């Protein structure tokens, strides 16, 4: 999260509109998330105090203290994470792919400047190297550090320069497909990921909500079916502060040793996690398998396109 020296003590909040996209606002005492990506609905959180506001080269950044979800990170008017429910997203986007392959060693994280995915990747003792591509330096948590970590810039450009077959796993912790994250949902980007993975390597990317963005999901699935010659699956988890209360993940593997995403071969046992400085709060093996069970309407729309 942002440094505490940027704390704004006032709780008398003027209306603050995100000019470029007409997204969201802070009215006295409340943050309301409003976006053309989920028209006709909004989610509001009570604001105790704004901790940081700034405009980076790429987007507007805000951190505020909420009354019910702890600190909240907002990019371009859209909630990215909260202290209370970030575990449901960070743990699932990381362990769904990494627990599906034996002994992942080299992992690339695209996005994830808040450090949550990196924290979860580091739980895996087999991991020897973590590269992270975060486009926006303002988002990066300067206090996050790890002996295995290498921090670089733009993910799209980085992938083009990566030697073929470099990574066991790629995790794409992207924001929604508007603004700087739009490229991360397009076919050339997925082709670059496939090239960067070893045979039987895996990718997990944020893949929107089945309640709001089925057309986007269908396009992602169709592209991945063309590009990845191993497994292609859609999974999901609940995140109360995300629009519709859930978010999905696209999980794919390259041709090579078969990957069965629905049955983890590299489990993180709950008992083992108790020895960690931060035990798992959300992920477990049962949830892993259940995450791939789709409601009937989603299964009808995308189930036949995934395998």
């Amino acid at each position: 999260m942002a440094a505490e020296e940027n704390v704004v003590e006032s709780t008398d909040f003027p209306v603050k509109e995100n000019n470029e996209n007409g997204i969201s606002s802070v009215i006295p005492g409340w943050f309301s998330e409003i976006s053309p990506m989920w028209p006709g609905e909004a989610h509001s959180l009570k604001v105790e105090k704004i901790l940081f506001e700034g405009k980076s080269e790429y987007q507007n950044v805000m951190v505020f203290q909420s009354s019910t979800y702890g600190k909240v990170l907002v990019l371009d008017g859209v909630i990215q994470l909260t202290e209370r429910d970030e575990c449901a997203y960070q743990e699932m986007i990381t362990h769904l792919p990494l627990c599906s392959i034996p002994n992942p060693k080299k992992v690339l994280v695209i996005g994830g400047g808040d450090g949550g995915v990196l924290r979860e990747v580091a739980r895996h003792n087999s991991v020897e190297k973590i590269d992270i591509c975060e486009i926006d330096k303002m988002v990066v948590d300067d206090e996050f550090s790890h002996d295995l970590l290498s921090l670089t810039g733009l993910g799209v450009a980085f992938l083009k320069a990566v030697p073929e077959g470099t990574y066991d796993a790629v995790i794409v912790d992207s924001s929604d497909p508007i603004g700087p994250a739009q490229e991360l949902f397009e076919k050339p980007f997925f082709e670059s990921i496939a090239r960067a993975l070893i045979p039987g390597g895996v990718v997990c990317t944020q893949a929107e909500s089945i309640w709001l963005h089925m057309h986007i999901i269908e396009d992602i699935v169709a592209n991945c079916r063309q590009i990845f010659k191993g497994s292609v699956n859609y999974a999901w988890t609940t995140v109360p502060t995300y629009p519709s209360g859930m978010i999905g993940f696209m999980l794919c593997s390259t041709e090579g040793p078969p990957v069965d995403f629905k049955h983890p071969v590299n489990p993180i046992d709950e008992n083992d996690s108790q020895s960690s400085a931060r035990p798992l709060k959300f992920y477990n093996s049962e949830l892993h398998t259940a995450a791939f069970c789709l409601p009937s309407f989603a299964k009808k729309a995308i189930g036949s396109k995934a395998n």
Side-chain angles (χ1 to χ4, degrees), residues 88-101 120 124 169 171 202-205 233-237 247-252 259-266 268 282-292:
Y89 177 83
Q90 314 278 25
E91 293 181 16
M92 293 294 275
I93 198 174
T94 303
H95 303 310
L96 287 176
L98 295 189
C99 290
S100 296
I101 56 175
E120 296 305 317
H124 291 261
I171 300 171
V202 296
V203 58
C204 182
T205 181
N233 289 103
Y234 183 87
W236 60 286
T237 189
I247 196 70
F249 308 108
M250 198 74 231
L251 289 113
C252 309
V259 176
D260 181 358
F261 285 111
K262 298 177 184 179
H263 299 95
V265 297
N266 180 30
I268 294 182
F282 192 87
Y283 175 91
N284 57 52
S285 296
E286 291 82 5
L287 269 178
H288 183 122
T289 298
F292 294 91

Side-chain angles (χ1 to χ4, degrees), residues 31-259:
F31 170 82
S32 294
E33 184 175 274
I34 304 166
S35 171
M37 286 201 63
W38 37 91
E41 61 184 270
H43 183 213
S44 299
L45 291 177
K46 188 174 182 181
V47 180
E48 297 294 337
K49 131 175 106 174
I50 295 177
L51 302 176
F52 175 85
E53 283 184 289
K55 184 170 178 59
S56 74
E57 182 181 351
Y58 300 97
Q59 57 202 339
N60 293 308
V61 180
M62 180 171 69
V63 180
F64 68 85
Q65 181 72 39
S66 70
S67 61
T68 52
Y69 281 85
K71 293 185 179 71
V72 180
L73 172 65
V74 179
L75 300 180
D76 274 347
V78 177
I79 292 173
Q80 303 300 308
L81 61 84
T82 79
E83 285 185 303
R84 181 179 175 185
D85 65 9
E86 59 87 17
C87 59
Y89 177 83
Q90 314 278 25
E91 293 181 16
M92 293 294 275
I93 198 174
T94 303
H95 303 310
L96 287 176
L98 295 189
C99 290
S100 296
I101 56 175
N103 302 314
K105 294 181 179 179
K106 294 183 179 179
V107 179
L108 172 64
V109 178
I110 297 175
D114 57 81
V117 170
L118 300 176
R119 177 196 68 214
E120 296 305 317
V121 173
R123 291 185 191 272
H124 291 261
N125 294 329
S126 62
V127 172
E128 299 172 353
K129 178 70 172 175
I130 309 169
D131 290 331
I132 177 171
C133 296
E134 170 57 61
I135 192 173
D136 198 337
K137 294 180 181 179
M138 186 176 284
V139 177
V140 174
D141 182 351
D142 292 330
E143 295 182 2
F144 184 92
S145 62
H146 197 282
D147 292 341
L148 308 179
L149 176 64
S150 173
L151 180 65
T152 185
L154 185 62
V156 175
F158 180 79
L159 275 173
K160 290 178 179 177
V162 165
E164 185 174 352
T166 296
Y167 295 104
D168 299 274
V170 175
I171 300 171
V172 185
D173 178 15
S174 69
S175 51
D176 295 305
I178 53 176
Q182 184 171 342
E183 282 187 290
L184 307 186
F185 288 79
E186 297 172 350
K187 190 173 182 179
F189 179 69
F190 288 112
E191 290 172 337
S192 296
I193 290 176
R195 189 186 66 84
L197 287 170
I198 65 170
V202 296
V203 58
C204 182
T205 181
Q206 188 272 105
E208 300 301 323
S209 166
I210 57 176
W211 292 105
L212 301 172
H213 308 122
M214 190 60 76
H215 61 292
I216 296 175
I217 296 168
E218 288 184 271
D219 288 344
I220 295 172
V221 172
N223 285 335
C224 289
R225 289 290 290 121
Q226 294 177 25
I227 296 165
F228 295 94
K229 303 305 180 182
S231 298
V232 175
N233 289 103
Y234 183 87
W236 60 286
T237 189
T238 61
V239 183
T241 52
Y242 285 176
S244 81
M246 64 85 65
I247 196 70
F249 308 108
M250 198 74 231
L251 289 113
C252 309
S253 65
T254 55
E255 187 175 14
V259 176

